[in-house]
Structure formats: structure tokens, C-alpha cells
Amino acid sequence: MKPGVDVLRFFRYTMDRIMDLRVDSLLAGAQRAEGIVVIIDVFGAGAMAPLALAQGAPHLVLAATNDDAEAMKRRRAGELTIGDRGDRSHATPDLGPSASSVTRADLTGRVAVLATRTLTMGVNAARHAERIYAAGLLNVRATARIIHSLDPAIVTLVPMGVDGRLRTDEDEICAMVLKHVLGGKPPDEEAAVRFIRSCVTSQKRQGHAIEA
């Protein structure tokens, strides 16, 4: 057996055999999801959450709306709020909804309350999950590394789309990218991003998106 290469092939083969990888979309998919569950929201929390953590936030607290996030900050659940782009509540968030406002901030040691209707909805719906992670294109590989370290029997990827009701190209593609990475078959991530940029549904939303 060749060192390195054959061991890697064996590892990938073994993972393919023992890990039950599922993709189940939208709110209904979250409700059915089992095992390790990954809620995918490319242009929302899937972008904002990893950026906030990269800027030093020790952890994030989820809220469904900007108003909820502000109320949680007043109750000292977090020190600042990060807004949800599609939210229509009255509260003005401290950061967001643009990714650039987060990347310019120093969040070292500051717990942030992240307003995200989609992720909050998915997390609340995934009642059969052993653990829940949030993912977007920014943290696909990091998410895959964590999942591999857990050696789970079942992994369910849930592309949430718009409000858990309407599929979007970007979330579905991200799920496919993550599925390939988990299966040891690295995809062309740059091609995936280019395709997402060209999609009609994405073009309507990408001002917030790939700005990250």
C-alpha cells in the first residue's frame, strides 16, 4: 500500500460506506432531518455567522428578527446585534445586514445576537437532530472537518431556501458541494460560485451575498 494516497482512498471509501448522507430541502426537510443536521443558508446566516466568528466573536446567539435580537441584547444575551437583510421589524441592528459591516468590525470577546429568520426556523424545526450546524459556501470545508471528526452514522443537509418554502439555486448547490466534500470528492468550488452568480434567483439577492 502506498503511504498517504492509498490510506486516503481507503478512508474515503470507508466514509462513503458508513456515512448516510442525505439532502432534504426546506422547512419540511428540517423537520425530517436526523443525525448531524446542517442548515444551509448561503446568503444569510451561512455567510454572516462565519464572518462574525472570524472577527473574534466567541459565539453567536440566534434571534428570529431584528426586534427579537434587540430585545435579547437588552436582556444581556449578547453585546451587539447583527441584522437580517430581509427583516422588516423596527429595530436598527448594530451591524449588518451587509457582510462588509461585519468584516470591518472588531468582535473580539463580544457575543453577537444574529437575527436570522431562516436559520432560527431551521434550528427550531430540526427536533430529531443530534447536533446542528449552520453552513454556507464560506465554511463548507470547516463544516466537513467537524462532521468527519464526529464519525456520524447519518448526516442530513438542509438547504433552507427562501423562508423554508422556496428552493434557491445557491442553497441547493452549496448542499451538493458539501456532500461532495464529505464524500471525499472535492468539487470545483470556484465554478459553483460562478454558477450561483449567474442564477436568476441569486441575482436578485446577491448584493448581500457574494459581497462576503
Side-chain angles (χ1 to χ4, degrees):
M1 177 180 289
K2 295 180 182 178
V5 175
D6 288 342
V7 171
L8 182 60
R9 286 175 180 166
F10 174 77
F11 173 77
R12 289 173 176 170
Y13 171 74
T14 304
M15 288 300 297
D16 282 342
R17 290 187 62 197
I18 67 173
M19 187 188 294
D20 181 0
L21 271 173
R22 307 174 183 178
V23 178
D24 202 350
S25 302
L26 308 178
L27 182 60
Q31 292 168 337
R32 289 187 291 263
E34 298 178 305
I36 302 299
V37 175
V38 183
I39 305 296
I40 296 173
D41 181 22
V42 169
F43 288 170
M48 303 300 272
L51 289 175
L53 295 172
Q55 293 304 109
H59 66 270
L60 304 175
V61 178
L62 299 183
T65 67
N66 291 342
D67 282 349
D68 290 344
E70 183 62 29
M72 293 176 75
K73 186 178 78 167
R74 288 198 298 268
R75 295 197 300 269
R76 301 184 183 277
E79 298 173 59
L80 57 92
T81 60
I82 301 176
D84 188 343
R85 185 178 184 83
D87 190 74
R88 295 293 180 267
S89 55
H90 298 293
T92 300
D94 298 311
L95 298 174
S98 69
S100 59
S101 70
V102 177
T103 58
R104 290 194 300 264
D106 181 4
L107 303 182
T108 303
R110 305 178 71 189
V111 176
V113 183
L114 176 62
T116 163
R117 172 179 167 80
T118 299
L119 180 57
T120 302
M121 182 188 305
V123 168
N124 288 338
R127 297 181 179 179
H128 305 296
E130 296 172 16
R131 295 192 184 189
I132 302 174
Y133 295 96
L137 288 173
L138 294 179
N139 65 336
V140 161
R141 292 186 180 277
T143 303
R145 284 195 298 271
I146 291 172
I147 291 173
H148 275 151
S149 73
L150 298 172
D151 192 22
I154 301 173
V155 178
T156 308
L157 311 181
V158 184
M160 284 296 290
V162 178
D163 291 335
R165 297 180 296 103
L166 177 67
R167 292 175 190 260
T168 57
D169 302 306
E170 63 271 12
D171 289 356
E172 297 292 328
I173 292 169
C174 183
M176 292 300 103
V177 170
L178 179 52
K179 184 177 181 181
H180 276 75
V181 174
L182 285 168
K185 305 165 186 174
D188 186 340
E189 293 175 55
E190 291 185 4
V193 171
R194 288 195 301 271
F195 184 77
I196 287 172
R197 285 182 182 275
S198 71
C199 294
V200 174
T201 57
S202 300
Q203 289 172 355
K204 294 178 181 177
R205 305 172 68 202
Q206 73 175 358
H208 168 54
I210 306 207
E211 174 190 355

